[in-house]
Amino acid sequence: MSTLPPNACRLRVRYVKDGRLAYLGHLEVMQTVMRSVRRSGVPFEVGNGFARRMRIQFSQALPVGASSRGEYYDLLLSDPLDEQEALEALRLASPKALAPNAAMLLPRRVPALEAWADFSRWKVCVRGLSMDAEEFAARVQELREQDVLRFMRGEKERSISLAQTLVSCEASDVANGIDLVLQTRHSSQGSLRPAVLVNAVCGVAPLRVCRMGQWHLADDGYLIDPMTRGE
Amino acid sequence: MRLAREDRFGDIEPLLGLVEKPSRYLDHEWGVCEDQDGPFHTCLIYADVYEVGQPNLGLAILYDELNAQQGFSCERAYLPWVDMADLMREHGVPMLSLETSSPVASFDIVGFTLAHELVCTNVLEALDLAGIALRSDERDEDDPLVIAGGPSAWNCEPLAPALDAVLLGDGEGALVEMARCVRDARDEGLSRGQILLRLAQLDGVYVPSLYDVVVDKTSTRWGYAVPKEGTGAPAMVRKHCIPDLASTDPAVQRIVPYMSVVQDRFAVEVLRGCARGCRFCQAGMTYRPVRERPFEQVVPAVREGLRTSGFDECALTSLSTTDHSQCARMVRTLNEELASAGVRVSIPSQRLDSFGVEMATAVGSSRKAGLTFAPEAGSQRLRDVINKNVTERDLEFAVTNAFKSGYRRMKLYFMMGLPTETDEDLLGIPRLAEDVLRMGREILGPRAKVSVSISVAVFVPKCHTPFQWAGQLPLEEVHRRQQLMLHAATDRALRVSYHGSWPSLVEGVLSKMGRAGFDLILAAWRLGCRFDAWSDQFDFDAWNQAAAEVGLNLEDVACETFDLEARLPWDHTSPGVSKGYLQREWRRAMSAEVTPDCTFTSCTGCGVCPSLGVSNVLAGERA
Ligand code: SF4
């Protein structure tokens, strides 16, 4: 505990979203995490409003159907405790497919997680396609040049700037489709969902989406891992 | 045909991305029973979507009990929503259980909760999606036994041809007995027919196929059921009744859903039964006697349940929680203990007096959402007819208290079409609501934003109640009376809403008919009716067409009154309340005489206690 900041009462937790629980929506994940926290016995702070909610913040919403190797939440603690003990208690109280795998104490005041962790890397497996990786990449390039991508969400038309949100897209051929590694960045307009890009390139195709990790993109271009303790 | 028991999650997984709410089909929630080795397998089905069925406490009790038995296992299934059901049919995927994703048609017993009458087409939809023959007499020797129970099992005759056996009354102990009986009989190599004979010998178990329906001049046109000769089936099946709620596990709700469900909280049943004696209320008659769970059991159960589930709300549930002799103590103790952890305590029904308001305030009901009261009728005379023992003064007291505690919105629930109702009674509804508004403005000042909403449902006569002989109001008359009230409600702070009159009519039909109702349900389901309790799915035209196909008119059926002496389609089943008592209550209703609550006064002779050998169990003095 010697490396802890003096007023460490914020617990940052990294967890996965896996297996069939990939189909949970963001609200369902938040609800489940909060119940896991309550079950774990980790002492959390409660807000003062009428509803007296748990003081917790989550990283960016993951689309329904996407799995993840690195989701985060920040929990304000009402009493200090050892981060490894907290991790173990949380792990025992969480569904396996949403299990936490790292925890770190931070100072009370840090930037809000959702806006701060603005950079994501994705692995996307697209199957049953008639185009190869090269064609796919060329088509992505065309879309980038047009910048604004229009798409439908439910009944509504939306648009997003690829220049602002798509950092890179690498495609490679595999047995019966292509695999993509996408890097995206959250902008004031929102985030680019991998499925939106894939649909724009090749229509609706069976795909599997996994967020490999999230970072903060610093002004100098470096990626900062949310689990870095700072100075 | 019995399907093979195998994990078929792989069959629905590709469909998850295509449906509205995939989390309905995921299972693996916190608290599920993962050990499903059996070897005797049961599957309990709530024939509505997951978020409606999952919070059901009855199902949780039985799930827990069966899974605790050596050699038995129990899984859950909910009816897939229409998008998923259609996809499953398209891809040839049968209805699956949640825990192991096994075909429902692979189980030994499949049990349905009959939560209300409008669930009938959903039962057929579930059986069909599962690939189980709809009629009991068309099932193969090794097909699952299809059983049912729950609050609406009291007139299960319209569904009877689909059911192999029905459990009446409390499920505790009884379902396990049924499962044992079936397992032993199968081990002995008995035939399906022989198994049913055995089941019919169990306490509270009704086996429809062992009864003939006889129509004669002593009955209504729907006849009455008599046991077939040589079957040994009882002439009257009395409900199974546990004498003491305290002997059962209070903390049965172990499963914590991922998705938002209709009641997202940890619930403890604090009492069963209600003896207030409202004459329209089926639950009030069929769940007697009153059995309270003591404070010493409730409070630790809530603590433990919250700790292991992680819910941030707990509910003390029952038909009338505020009647519990220790209600105030339970609410205060839990509130004090839980508020600092951000946990809300809630109680469902609101008693229409100052104690009701005190409790609502104690549980911190949202001032914004307002308070809900159910006077049920607009005049004192009609409230006496229905035995809603509430006076104008009670209401005045309650409302005054509520406004003084800072509430500005009131919701008032009423019924329309109650026996003996006149226009004058109905006009009493907006009048009463306006009185409430006036009181609010007097207390909070003329500028305060006080609002009152009144919600008016159509009265549906239910079996085993003193009003079981009554006819329902014809549609045209419902609509006329709705207009009458709308015109009388002139204050703009008054909002009037009506429950659908068309679904109520179908509910009335299914509540009245005997076994002949099955052909109607079947015809409606074949015309696409399912999820009839969902207003966006309910199709009145299809129901009318179905009625025409089987030579019926829905209004004729629902609006028919029965002779007080006639033998009724459900007379062979009994919740313990005697028919003589119900007839007496009907007569008292006609002369607007009230009958007191036996838990506050003395026995009023409903018959439950002597006939079932039970009695009211109170944890303290009721006040
Ligand atoms: S038999 Fe008497 S005491 Fe028992 S529930 Fe009926 S009225 Fe009450």
Side-chain angles (χ1 to χ4, degrees):
Chain A
M1 302 260 297
S2 56
T3 55
L4 290 185
N7 57 345
C9 53
R10 173 184 295 261
L11 186 72
R12 174 162 298 173
V13 178
R14 184 178 68 209
Y15 65 103
V16 299
K17 187 184 178 213
D18 217 4
R20 57 176 85 177
L21 295 199
Y23 289 97
L24 295 184
H26 189 52
L27 286 176
E28 294 166 340
V29 170
M30 295 198 302
Q31 170 99 294
T32 303
V33 166
M34 288 193 276
R35 287 175 179 165
S36 304
V37 170
R38 286 183 180 274
R39 289 192 291 262
S40 72
V42 167
F44 56 86
E45 250 187 44
V46 173
N48 288 324
F50 175 75
R52 310 223 63 192
R53 291 183 202 290
M54 176 181 294
R55 301 197 57 186
I56 188 168
Q57 289 183 338
F58 289 83
S59 55
Q60 302 250 331
L62 195 60
V64 174
S67 58
S68 173
R69 302 224 180 135
E71 297 299 296
Y72 298 87
Y73 60 84
D74 277 2
L75 178 71
L76 286 186
L77 300 177
S78 57
D79 286 306
L81 84 166
D82 178 81
E83 52 197 24
Q84 285 316 310
E85 262 174 44
L87 177 62
E88 184 57 10
L90 287 167
R91 206 179 52 74
L92 290 174
S94 304
K96 281 195 198 76
L98 287 175
N101 55 22
M104 178 180 70
L105 285 162
L106 289 175
R108 187 177 177 90
R109 296 200 184 284
V110 295
L113 192 53
E114 189 181 358
W116 182 81
D118 55 356
F119 189 95
S120 293
R121 185 172 301 146
W122 309 84
K123 178 159 187 205
V124 184
C125 308
V126 196
R127 297 295 175 258
L129 275 188
S130 55
M131 60 173 74
D132 62 8
E134 200 177 322
E135 244 179 296
F136 192 98
R139 182 82 185 104
V140 170
Q141 191 50 37
E142 275 170 37
L143 290 172
R144 264 173 185 284
E145 280 157 19
Q146 292 165 14
D147 186 14
V148 176
L149 176 64
R150 294 186 197 288
F151 61 99
M152 298 297 289
R153 174 158 321 151
E155 308 275 275
K156 286 195 186 128
E157 197 191 67
R158 301 276 172 92
S159 65
I160 192 156
S161 156
L162 290 184
Q164 286 184 37
T165 57
L166 179 60
V167 178
S168 68
C169 172
E170 285 170 29
S172 51
D173 291 310
V174 291
N176 49 355
I178 53 177
D179 281 0
L180 307 171
V181 176
L182 292 181
Q183 301 201 100
T184 61
R185 197 190 160 184
H186 185 68
S187 82
S188 52
Q189 292 190 350
S191 305
L192 172 68
R193 293 177 172 214
V196 166
L197 182 70
V198 173
N199 291 348
V201 171
C202 57
V204 178
L207 67 160
R208 225 174 252 281
V209 178
C210 178
R211 173 141 70 188
M212 307 305 287
Q214 300 182 73
W215 293 266
H216 170 62
L217 182 61
D219 292 343
D220 57 8
Y222 282 108
L223 291 180
I224 303 173
D225 187 305
M227 283 305 190
T228 317
R229 208 180 291 277
E231 57 288 340
Chain B
M1 194 190 63
R2 183 88 167 252
L3 294 181
R5 185 174 167 82
E6 54 184 341
D7 186 338
R8 309 248 324 237
F9 188 72
D11 289 349
I12 57 160
E13 194 172 8
L15 311 179
L16 292 175
L18 309 174
V19 297
E20 188 192 349
K21 291 185 182 170
S23 38
R24 286 170 173 153
Y25 314 102
L26 296 181
D27 177 58
H28 288 37
E29 305 103 307
W30 189 262
V32 294
C33 176
E34 283 174 16
D35 172 15
Q36 293 290 345
D37 292 341
F40 190 91
H41 298 283
T42 52
C43 182
L44 298 181
I45 301 181
Y46 193 100
D48 207 315
V49 282
Y50 177 94
E51 60 268 38
V52 174
Q54 170 52 36
N56 184 270
L57 216 46
L59 205 138
I61 293 171
L62 302 174
Y63 178 85
D64 221 44
E65 265 200 4
L66 274 166
N67 278 317
Q69 303 294 318
Q70 196 70 34
F72 293 85
S73 67
C74 178
E75 304 188 32
R76 301 159 296 150
Y78 303 93
L79 189 60
W81 183 243
V82 294
D83 56 352
M84 184 56 121
D86 292 349
L87 280 169
M88 287 167 79
R89 285 200 171 94
E90 202 181 310
H91 290 82
V93 185
M95 185 164 164
L96 305 176
S97 68
L98 272 184
E99 278 74 1
T100 63
S101 303
S102 302
V104 166
S106 72
F107 282 79
D108 294 296
I109 289 182
V110 169
F112 284 95
T113 301
L114 303 179
H116 49 75
E117 287 76 8
L118 291 181
V119 87
C120 287
T121 53
N122 278 8
V123 172
L124 299 191
E125 170 77 353
L127 287 171
D128 182 70
L129 199 55
I132 298 174
L134 299 185
R135 286 178 177 274
S136 146
D137 57 14
E138 288 169 356
R139 288 179 197 136
D140 289 340
E141 271 299 318
D142 66 342
D143 272 341
L145 277 165
V146 178
I147 65 172
S152 206
W154 287 107
N155 179 19
C156 58
E157 282 304 294
L159 261 186
L163 305 173
D164 293 310
V166 181
L167 173 59
L168 300 172
D170 299 328
E172 287 99 337
L175 185 59
V176 169
E177 272 309 300
M178 288 177 84
R180 273 213 194 99
C181 172
V182 175
R183 183 205 48 192
D184 294 347
R186 285 224 163 112
D187 286 351
E188 290 169 40
L190 297 192
S191 68
R192 201 175 174 89
Q194 288 166 318
I195 295 175
L196 294 180
L197 288 177
R198 273 217 192 158
L199 278 173
Q201 298 307 315
L202 298 182
D203 186 31
V205 178
Y206 164 52
V207 178
S209 59
L210 304 184
Y211 294 75
D212 283 322
V213 174
V214 178
V215 183
D216 61 26
K217 55 181 188 316
T218 67
S219 73
T220 71
R221 62 168 147 156
W222 309 117
Y224 57 96
V226 283
K228 288 180 182 163
E229 233 170 275
T231 59
M236 183 188 281
V237 184
R238 284 211 171 76
K239 78 170 175 186
H240 175 73
C241 184
I242 50 159
D244 188 6
L245 199 58
S247 64
T248 66
D249 186 349
V252 289
Q253 207 188 14
R254 298 184 209 282
I255 297 177
V256 186
Y258 293 118
M259 73 182 305
S260 287
V261 297
V262 292
Q263 284 147 344
D264 232 339
R265 61 207 188 174
F266 177 75
V268 169
E269 186 188 20
V270 296
L271 85 103
R272 194 171 295 176
C274 169
R276 294 210 152 223
C278 297
R279 290 175 179 135
F280 55 84
C281 178
Q282 192 180 41
M285 296 295 153
T286 57
Y287 281 97
R288 290 176 180 218
V290 171
R291 290 148 288 170
E292 292 185 350
R293 201 186 277 292
F295 174 93
E296 293 71 22
Q297 204 184 26
V298 172
V299 171
V302 170
R303 271 185 210 129
E304 179 60 11
L306 288 170
R307 194 184 63 75
T308 54
S309 68
F311 281 108
D312 60 3
E313 183 179 334
C314 66
L316 308 178
T317 68
S318 75
L319 291 171
S320 56
T321 297
T322 38
D323 283 342
H324 193 295
S325 54
Q326 299 166 317
C327 178
R329 201 170 138 220
M330 291 191 295
V331 167
R332 282 196 200 107
T333 307
L334 288 171
N335 251 345
E336 273 167 28
E337 220 176 283
L338 301 172
S340 62
V343 175
R344 235 173 70 84
V345 182
S346 71
I347 47 174
S349 42
Q350 225 90 93
R351 202 159 105 176
L352 233 176
D353 58 14
S354 38
F355 182 69
V357 179
E358 192 190 322
M359 286 298 100
T361 313
V363 299
S365 292
S366 149
R367 298 283 195 281
K368 243 170 101 195
L371 277 190
T372 304
F373 294 118
E376 310 288 6
S379 71
Q380 193 58 49
R381 185 198 71 81
L382 195 53
R383 281 196 295 274
D384 289 345
V385 168
I386 64 176
N387 205 43
K388 184 86 193 178
N389 282 322
V390 166
T391 64
E392 223 109 301
R393 264 181 71 84
D394 291 333
L395 184 66
E396 210 179 296
F397 256 15
V399 167
T400 307
N401 265 357
F403 284 126
K404 282 187 177 157
S405 331
Y407 292 95
R408 278 157 207 269
R409 299 173 66 173
M410 303 283 159
K411 281 187 230 160
L412 303 175
Y413 284 13
F414 295 94
M415 274 188 285
M416 161 189 295
L418 289 160
T420 77
E421 179 180 274
T422 62
D423 284 0
E424 189 46 37
D425 296 316
L426 268 182
L427 290 172
I429 295 177
R431 211 176 296 136
L432 198 143
E434 272 163 14
D435 283 348
V436 173
L437 270 178
R438 188 181 37 73
M439 282 186 264
R441 288 174 184 146
E442 270 169 29
I443 293 167
L444 296 164
R447 291 180 167 209
K449 272 206 162 164
V450 179
S451 75
V452 175
S453 54
I454 52 186
S455 165
V456 189
V458 178
F459 162 65
V460 178
K462 294 283 165 84
C463 66
H464 297 296
T465 68
F467 286 171
Q468 62 183 351
W469 295 278
Q472 200 164 320
L473 209 57
L475 280 177
E476 206 185 327
E477 185 57 16
V478 170
H479 297 145
R480 183 191 71 83
R481 293 189 194 184
Q482 287 178 343
Q483 285 309 314
L484 179 76
M485 268 176 35
L486 270 182
H487 287 304
T490 47
D491 196 310
R492 284 174 61 193
L494 204 62
R495 262 173 244 118
V496 185
S497 65
Y498 297 111
H499 273 275
S501 50
W502 296 282
S504 301
L505 191 76
V506 172
E507 189 186 335
V509 168
L510 298 173
S511 304
K512 272 232 133 98
M513 284 180 83
R515 213 169 277 196
F518 186 71
D519 290 339
L520 171 66
I521 298 168
L522 193 60
W525 172 74
R526 287 200 173 122
L527 288 168
C529 292
R530 53 182 166 169
F531 290 104
D532 290 308
W534 293 69
S535 53
D536 60 337
Q537 299 293 317
F538 179 76
D539 183 350
F540 189 56
D541 291 339
W543 273 99
N544 267 325
Q545 194 185 328
E549 277 178 20
V550 298
L552 292 172
N553 174 295
L554 296 176
E555 266 192 317
D556 270 3
V557 177
C559 304
E560 184 180 5
T561 53
F562 289 154
D563 191 90
L564 207 56
E565 303 304 327
R567 298 179 78 163
L568 301 172
W570 47 83
D571 273 358
H572 59 299
T573 60
S574 169
V577 172
S578 72
K579 195 170 177 182
Y581 177 78
L582 298 179
Q583 285 165 329
R584 197 159 73 236
E585 280 295 288
W586 170 263
R587 292 195 191 96
R588 289 172 76 89
M590 291 307 109
S591 53
E593 269 179 88
V594 297
T595 302
D597 179 335
C598 63
T599 60
F600 288 84
T601 54
S602 57
C603 178
T604 58
C606 80
V608 164
C609 298
S611 72
L612 301 178
V614 291
S615 58
N616 288 330
V617 181
L618 303 185
E621 192 76 11
R622 284 195 163 189

